[in-house]
Amino acid sequence: MIEHPEPEPSRPVRSWIRSAPGTHVWMLIIALTSVVVVIVPDHLEHVLLRRNSSNIHELARHPIRALLSSAFWIENPASLPLYVVLFEIFHANVERWLGTLRWLFIIATGHITATLISQKLVLMAIEDHRAPRSMVHVVDIGVSYGLATAIGVVTYRLPGPWRWLYLAGSVAFFGLPLATGGTFTDLGHAIALAVGLLAWPLTRHPYPRAARACFT
């Protein structure tokens, strides 16, 4: 497990960032790729998003690259501020609580599992003629699967009755779209949330120093 530096009261922002380095490096990369999406011509933006998608076509040709690169792009750069807030609320707190290595392992597992299962079901739907062949090249990028995984993990960070309230809200938020005819992305979100909830054994012995910090 990677140990994080002790807090520096005189430098709260620096201390906050250094206490969850993985989250903030990830967010920085997403900010940079979002700038790229904004400044390149429309036709090149389309190429970049497709090339960095974890769709069936890219998974078949470049599985490792597709799974990795898809986690560093968002389709709509205007949503970047929202993702910054969500990363600070969920990813940063999970990383600070469990340590960088455990956080990364859980989030990567959620992202990969949700991507592979959802795309496998898309492939089956195409083969059964229940989905158009064009779905092979669908743009499937973004950080939402990892975020859904972190949301699941946070369940075990909350005390008493708040845990069950939070769990019910999370299941409803990700489950209702799926129950009402959701897309393969909605299915991926539900799978990622389940991975986060199934990570309970990895939360039983949290990072000692982080255990003294309050959830923000």
Side-chain angles (χ1 to χ4, degrees):
M1 183 182 301
I2 296 176
E3 295 187 3
H4 304 314
E6 290 297 324
E8 302 175 72
S10 62
R11 298 177 177 178
V13 174
R14 178 180 175 182
S15 178
W16 177 266
I17 292 173
R18 292 180 69 195
S19 66
T23 295
H24 293 103
V25 168
W26 189 5
M27 196 70 254
L28 176 61
I29 297 173
I30 292 170
L32 293 174
T33 59
S34 296
V35 170
V36 171
V37 169
V38 170
I39 64 177
V40 299
D42 289 345
H43 69 278
L44 185 54
E45 171 191 340
H46 186 70
V47 171
L48 280 173
L49 293 180
R50 284 188 177 275
R51 184 173 178 80
N52 289 286
S53 290
S54 52
N55 54 36
I56 295 170
H57 176 74
E58 293 298 330
L59 284 172
R61 296 182 61 194
H62 311 287
I64 304 300
R65 191 195 71 190
L67 288 170
L68 182 62
S69 63
S70 62
F72 295 103
W73 295 77
I74 54 177
E75 195 166 0
N76 181 12
S79 62
L80 180 63
L82 173 61
Y83 278 114
V84 170
V85 172
L86 294 175
F87 266 52
E88 295 295 348
I89 293 173
F90 296 104
H91 280 306
N93 277 289
V94 172
E95 182 180 2
R96 194 172 295 112
W97 178 40
L98 300 179
T100 299
L101 291 183
R102 261 193 286 186
W103 162 79
L104 182 59
F105 175 76
I106 295 170
I107 299 306
T109 300
H111 172 75
I112 292 170
T113 302
T115 298
L116 293 180
I117 293 178
S118 61
Q119 288 300 319
K120 176 63 176 177
L121 292 177
V122 170
L123 178 60
M124 292 170 63
I126 293 172
E127 291 173 342
D128 293 341
H129 306 289
R130 291 181 287 108
R133 175 66 58 178
S134 60
M135 290 292 288
V136 168
H137 299 279
V138 69
V139 173
D140 182 24
I141 59 170
V143 299
S144 56
Y145 291 164
L147 195 54
T149 306
I151 289 171
V153 176
V154 165
T155 303
Y156 305 111
R157 186 77 171 107
L158 299 174
W162 294 108
R163 174 179 298 178
W164 302 109
L165 257 165
Y166 173 87
L167 176 59
S170 300
V171 170
F173 182 81
F174 290 110
L176 285 178
L178 190 60
T180 54
T183 64
F184 75 92
T185 303
D186 294 319
L187 173 62
H189 289 150
I191 292 169
L193 177 70
V195 171
L197 294 172
L198 290 171
W200 170 75
L202 294 176
T203 70
R204 296 184 63 187
H205 303 288
Y207 185 61
R209 183 174 61 78
R212 299 196 294 268
C214 295
F215 181 78
T216 55

